[in-house]
Amino acid sequence: MDTNNFKPFDHPYVTVDVLIFTIMDGELKILLAKRDENPFKDTMVFPGGFVQLTESVEDAVKRIIKSKAGVKNLYLEQLYSFGDINRDPRARVISVAYFALIPDSAVKDWSQKGNKETFWYSVKKLPEMGFDHKKILQYAVDRIKNKIGYSTLAVGLLPPKFTLSQLQKVYETILGKKLDKRNFRKKMLSLGLLESLNEKISLGQHRPAMLYKFKNKELVIFD
Amino acid sequence: MDTNNFKPFDHPYVTVDVLIFTIMDGELKILLAKRDENPFKDTMVFPGGFVQLTESVEDAVKRIIKSKAGVKNLYLEQLYSFGDINRDPRARVISVAYFALIPDSAVKDWSQKGNKETFWYSVKKLPEMGFDHKKILQYAVDRIKNKIGYSTLAVGLLPPKFTLSQLQKVYETILGKKLDKRNFRKKMLSLGLLESLNEKISLGQHRPAMLYKFKNKELVIFD
DNA sequence: TGAATAGTGTCTTTCAGACAATATGCC
DNA sequence: GGCATATTGTCTGAAAGACACTATTCA
């Protein structure tokens, strides 16, 4: 195939930004890293990096995630590509943003590894953030809020086994409002996506709860 | 601000691909251009081009659209970014795909300009296509089918004034099935998005129909 | 036995879907 | 007057939403 008529020219860089969410202490939290150099030194930004010639965009995302922690079973979805001219003062940079959801339980493993430079922030109490990352974060939160209503995105925020109360808490946290327990259970169970494990867990000095799991494992995109 | 520590390196190119849809003759159609050089010479591809340093990604999309025809009032939405390694044999190319919807009426203006290299194809009868464009097209059609159900995306496929029958036809064409006229009208009018113009149009030797317009003009993203 | 969460059913309202006859303008 | 599309309402079933009490375990 004749490909000799292609003339190289100056062109934009491409980065990936990875927005990793979890629910901790009843709040939706995002993982941010502190920048240790200019531009935007000492502000918080998403984990991310330049896409190399030798890797696909999605592989770049996975590389970033692995470099931060060996998280397994996470839900990963492309969010949007941000292509304005002056996003980065160093160079023309187009960023492909992804978001990932991890369960609270994975955060514990996370903390055990020495992720000194990264911290979890409630999306309601954000620090100063670099670049256009606050705008990107808002876009992601809107997407998650919207999509949880008609998808099984919540699975990404829960451990493999969970109670209906835990599931309800995930919805309530993301939607920012209380839900009726009976209606919630009725609907969830009627969707046929959950499978009872006939196994109970005791989470305090009260009646133990039945554990469930999601039937569909397709939801795990990045294992 | 110190930006001197940035070291240039070889990095992927970025293109935009623009999927322009319309409804003609009761079919969803896509505008494709014939490639006149390798790779994929003589196959059909989306209008597109490389993103330059001096323009935002969205400006690149608008540039492409303008170069093809002076279409006004089109609905424009980012579709997805495709970042696999071997998409283009000439170079490493990441493509940000957008889709646009234009009304049948705009297609007439279009044809008047000499767009020799571009042709409209029914998405059900596609020619041989280059790169990964068939996959991208499928992705777009799925998005449109899905989104028309819960958004006012149909506005992009209609002229400013239209009848309820025309609106229904748009839905039927995209969804690929007949809809009940009474239920369709009941629902559309109950949504409160339409405004009657108290103006009738005669479209044949039968009773003329009332014209409507969309109340919300925010839907026009690119004017 | 008290505290705390788990678990359950009915009624009402709303929305989706099936279904057919009359109205109007043009030729 | 005949034709072709425009316009309109009711009934039924399904799903969403409001609402409160009993069950179970542990300290």
Side-chain angles (χ1 to χ4, degrees):
Chain A
M1 190 173 289
D2 174 18
T3 58
N4 294 330
N5 55 352
F6 180 77
K7 300 272 191 302
F9 58 94
D10 276 352
H11 53 283
Y13 287 83
V14 179
T15 61
V16 287
D17 284 313
V18 190
L19 287 70
I20 304 174
F21 291 95
T22 194
I23 289 183
M24 259 166 41
D25 309 324
E27 289 190 309
L28 183 63
K29 305 217 170 180
I30 173 112
L31 189 74
L32 299 176
K34 184 174 239 175
R35 274 191 69 79
D36 56 6
E37 53 184 34
N38 273 319
F40 298 105
K41 188 169 191 293
D42 294 329
T43 66
M44 304 304 291
V45 296
F46 309 125
F50 288 92
V51 177
Q52 306 296 319
L53 288 177
T54 53
E55 62 185 355
S56 71
V57 171
E58 192 162 316
D59 282 342
V61 172
K62 293 177 182 176
R63 171 171 58 79
I64 301 294
I65 291 173
K66 275 183 187 145
S67 79
K68 294 294 166 187
V71 182
K72 295 247 171 191
N73 261 19
L74 58 77
Y75 178 91
L76 187 62
E77 175 175 327
Q78 187 180 305
L79 180 65
Y80 198 79
S81 295
F82 296 86
D84 283 350
I85 294 186
N86 294 314
R87 298 183 57 255
D88 190 323
R90 294 169 296 178
R92 171 66 194 287
V93 173
I94 293 167
S95 177
V96 185
Y98 278 72
F99 73 91
L101 306 177
I102 66 171
D104 175 67
S105 54
V107 173
K108 286 163 200 155
D109 301 342
W110 193 287
S111 305
Q112 285 163 13
K113 319 206 173 214
N115 283 292
K116 291 178 222 151
E117 322 94 344
T118 61
F119 306 91
W120 292 99
Y121 288 88
S122 164
V123 298
K124 292 188 170 175
K125 280 170 279 180
L126 293 171
E128 193 178 352
M129 293 176 69
F131 304 105
D132 52 357
H133 286 197
K134 217 161 209 169
K135 183 181 86 174
I136 296 176
L137 176 56
Q138 185 58 51
Y139 192 91
V141 171
D142 288 346
R143 167 89 61 95
I144 293 170
K145 256 190 178 172
N146 187 259
K147 199 160 178 179
I148 200 173
Y150 66 90
S151 76
T152 53
L153 187 145
V155 65
L157 295 164
L158 288 163
K161 301 176 177 185
F162 51 87
T163 69
L164 289 178
S165 291
Q166 288 172 330
L167 180 61
Q168 182 174 346
K169 197 78 206 298
V170 165
Y171 276 79
E172 289 180 338
T173 302
I174 287 176
L175 297 175
K177 65 179 180 189
K178 289 282 174 195
L179 300 173
D180 180 84
K181 191 197 289 191
R182 280 167 294 186
N183 292 336
F184 180 81
R185 286 166 181 242
K186 195 196 322 175
K187 185 174 175 185
M188 278 299 148
L189 294 173
S190 75
L191 290 175
L193 300 170
L194 300 181
E195 188 177 327
S196 165
L197 291 168
N198 294 316
E199 182 188 345
K200 298 198 175 188
I201 188 173
S202 191
L203 292 167
Q205 58 180 46
H206 53 79
R207 180 172 175 176
M210 180 70 71
L211 283 167
Y212 289 82
K213 72 181 185 83
F214 275 93
K215 283 182 185 172
N216 198 339
K217 284 294 172 193
E218 292 166 34
L219 303 163
V220 178
I221 294 184
F222 172 38
D223 207 334
Chain B
M1 190 172 290
D2 175 17
T3 59
N4 294 330
N5 55 352
F6 180 76
K7 301 272 190 301
F9 58 94
D10 274 353
H11 54 282
Y13 287 83
V14 179
T15 61
V16 287
D17 284 312
V18 190
L19 287 71
I20 304 173
F21 292 94
T22 194
I23 288 182
M24 259 167 40
D25 310 323
E27 287 190 311
L28 183 63
K29 304 217 173 182
I30 172 105
L31 189 73
L32 299 175
K34 184 175 238 174
R35 273 191 69 79
D36 56 6
E37 54 183 35
N38 273 319
F40 297 105
K41 189 169 191 293
D42 294 329
T43 65
M44 305 304 291
V45 295
F46 308 126
F50 288 91
V51 176
Q52 306 297 318
L53 288 176
T54 53
E55 63 185 356
S56 70
V57 171
E58 191 161 317
D59 283 342
V61 172
K62 293 177 182 176
R63 171 172 59 78
I64 301 293
I65 292 174
K66 274 183 188 146
S67 79
K68 294 293 166 185
V71 184
K72 294 244 173 197
N73 260 18
L74 57 77
Y75 177 91
L76 187 62
E77 175 175 327
Q78 187 180 304
L79 180 64
Y80 199 80
S81 294
F82 296 87
D84 283 350
I85 294 185
N86 294 313
R87 298 184 56 255
D88 190 322
R90 295 170 295 179
R92 171 66 194 287
V93 173
I94 293 166
S95 177
V96 185
Y98 278 71
F99 73 91
L101 306 177
I102 67 172
D104 176 65
S105 55
V107 173
K108 286 163 200 155
D109 301 343
W110 193 288
S111 305
Q112 285 164 13
K113 319 206 174 213
N115 283 292
K116 289 178 224 153
E117 322 94 343
T118 61
F119 307 91
W120 291 99
Y121 288 88
S122 163
V123 298
K124 292 186 170 178
K125 280 170 280 183
L126 293 171
E128 193 178 351
M129 294 176 68
F131 304 105
D132 52 356
H133 286 196
K134 217 161 209 168
K135 184 182 85 175
I136 296 175
L137 175 56
Q138 187 57 51
Y139 193 90
V141 171
D142 289 346
R143 167 90 60 96
I144 292 170
K145 258 190 176 172
N146 185 259
K147 200 159 177 178
I148 199 173
Y150 64 91
S151 75
T152 52
L153 186 144
V155 65
L157 294 164
L158 289 163
K161 301 176 178 184
F162 52 87
T163 70
L164 289 179
S165 292
Q166 288 171 330
L167 180 61
Q168 183 175 346
K169 196 79 206 300
V170 167
Y171 276 78
E172 289 179 338
T173 302
I174 287 177
L175 297 175
K177 63 180 180 189
K178 290 281 174 196
L179 300 174
D180 179 84
K181 193 195 286 192
R182 280 168 292 185
N183 292 336
F184 180 82
R185 286 166 182 243
K186 195 196 322 176
K187 185 174 173 184
M188 278 299 149
L189 293 173
S190 74
L191 289 175
L193 300 170
L194 299 180
E195 187 176 330
S196 166
L197 291 168
N198 294 317
E199 180 187 347
K200 298 198 175 190
I201 187 171
S202 192
L203 292 168
Q205 56 180 45
H206 52 81
R207 177 172 177 178
M210 181 69 73
L211 283 168
Y212 289 81
K213 72 179 183 82
F214 275 92
K215 282 183 185 171
N216 197 340
K217 284 293 173 194
E218 292 168 34
L219 302 164
V220 178
I221 294 183
F222 171 37
D223 207 336

